[in-house]
Amino acid sequence: MIRQCLDTSVKILLLGTLCFACMTGVAVASPVYGQWTLVPLENDGLQPADVRMFERLLQAELATGAPGSSFVAPATSTACTDSRCAAALARQLDVDVVVYGTIFRSLERIYVTISLYDAGGGAVRAVQKMKIESVRELEAVANRIARAILTETSTSETIELGNVTSADSEMPERREGSPGAMLSVGGVVPVGDAYPGPRGGLALDLGYWIETWDFAILPRVGARWDTGSDNNDEGWLEIPFDVGAFYIFGRKDFAPILGGGAGVRFVRVKRFGAAQAGSVIQTTTNQKALKDRVWGPSLHARGGFMFFRTYRLRMTTTLDYTVVFAQPHDQGPPHSFGFSLGMIFGNRD
């Protein structure tokens, strides 16, 4: 049963890897092409210098995301607020795309609306809206809106660590990768002769997930024990004390992770001892179960995926390979494959 679960987990992770490669490998046609311009935004309630800073940030993000395009400076300092104005400006400047919008403060919020007018199609092709609480978040807004325009998605789909705003943080359980306790459950498949027979087992780990934008550290303690037989005279138990370090490939809600770690493990193995009798014809009989308890340094490698990364409550699915440098019953070293499902409970403010 354990081997079947492991085979299924491997297939799921491989399929997920292929899907991720496909998603990242397909180029998205940018709607900003040829010549384009960004009209000064209509401003109500903000300092002009802050609005100009946001316009420059938005222009830079759009230009970076559409390297084959050419920016044309607008010939006016007057804002456009509708498609009719954008169409007239497109004819005047002979550009393919006009980006325009509004930014205003209402009570304690700042509201930003950016529209993209496609002169070739004669219609507004995209409208992106965001709200924030401080001008300090305008850089994140420029990044999110530009990426949403370029990929023809919404700003909710361009969220990642580094551009989460205060409005996003108001959503249930959302926060920028906060550290917290991690609980993992899974299965273990021993390899080699250190453990008695091909006996699969269960795994339970408790750790503390410390996460940055690109890396994570996980100190943990846990237990692995066999479930392969009802025979109490044979079996094994393994207790890890280790620390892992992992690279996280992406800052969005779905991200592959890869890394490994080291530590020390307690291993207890119980197996039958063998006794031989007879000088001419030898027979072998089983004695009572023999126990051996050892400690040894360990190394492990881990790969998998993280889900809901920008939320406090996150989930991981991983595959592990572990080796313990010890010799229970003079056999070893013990090594095994494992798979697990983990939950990260991020801290609250």
Side-chain angles (χ1 to χ4, degrees), residues 158-297:
T158 58
I159 187 172
E160 63 177 36
L161 295 185
N163 64 19
V164 180
T165 68
S166 55
D168 298 311
S169 300
E170 294 176 359
M171 300 174 64
E173 302 300 318
R174 182 176 287 279
R175 183 183 171 132
E176 292 195 30
S178 59
M182 182 174 184
L183 177 66
S184 300
V185 295
V188 180
V189 179
V191 181
D193 299 325
Y195 299 106
R199 303 161 63 93
L202 296 178
L204 178 66
D205 289 322
L206 180 63
Y208 193 80
W209 183 265
I210 305 169
E211 182 179 325
T212 67
W213 283 2
D214 300 309
F215 294 94
I217 297 175
L218 177 64
R220 66 175 181 175
V221 62
R224 288 104 174 87
W225 64 94
D226 73 287
T227 58
S229 172
D230 295 331
N231 184 358
N232 294 324
D233 292 327
E234 287 191 327
W236 55 269
L237 171 69
E238 189 175 309
I239 299 178
F241 301 88
D242 57 33
V243 177
F246 311 97
Y247 186 82
I248 307 175
F249 296 86
R251 300 177 182 178
K252 295 186 178 181
D253 282 331
F254 170 78
I257 58 176
L258 182 65
V264 62
R265 299 201 178 201
F266 168 78
V267 179
R268 187 192 70 186
V269 176
K270 185 166 59 173
R271 64 168 72 239
F272 281 118
Q276 291 183 342
S279 59
V280 178
I281 300 176
Q282 292 187 342
T283 60
T284 301
T285 60
N286 288 326
Q287 295 179 347
K288 66 179 182 178
L290 302 177
K291 298 179 182 179
D292 194 8
R293 300 176 178 87
V294 296
W295 288 84

Side-chain angles (χ1 to χ4, degrees), residues 63-84:
T64 301
S69 63
S70 176
F71 176 75
V72 177
T76 177
S77 59
T78 304
C80 270
T81 58
D82 55 41
S83 59
R84 183 179 302 177

Side-chain angles (χ1 to χ4, degrees), residues 7-62:
D7 292 340
T8 302
S9 300
V10 172
K11 292 177 182 178
I12 292 174
L13 289 173
L14 289 176
L15 180 60
T17 302
L18 291 175
C19 292
F20 178 76
C22 292
M23 288 188 295
T24 55
V26 176
V28 178
S30 171
V32 179
Y33 56 91
Q35 293 185 316
W36 62 282
T37 189
L38 172 61
V39 185
L41 303 180
E42 183 181 41
N43 172 27
D44 183 6
L46 277 75
Q47 294 293 331
D50 293 332
V51 177
R52 288 195 296 270
M53 176 200 69
F54 174 72
E55 291 170 352
R56 288 194 291 268
L57 289 171
L58 182 60
Q59 176 186 333
E61 293 283 355
L62 289 171

Side-chain angles (χ1 to χ4, degrees), residues 289-339:
L290 302 177
K291 298 179 182 179
D292 194 8
R293 300 176 178 87
V294 296
W295 288 84
S298 66
L299 294 175
H300 70 271
R302 169 176 291 187
F305 299 99
M306 176 182 287
F307 303 90
F308 316 115
R309 192 184 176 199
T310 60
Y311 290 79
R312 289 192 183 101
L313 182 62
R314 282 150 282 164
M315 183 176 73
T316 63
T317 58
T318 58
L319 290 176
D320 297 74
Y321 176 76
T322 303
V323 58
V324 184
F325 298 97
Q327 299 284 332
H329 294 290
D330 295 322
Q331 298 188 46
H335 50 113
S336 60
F337 288 99
F339 59 94

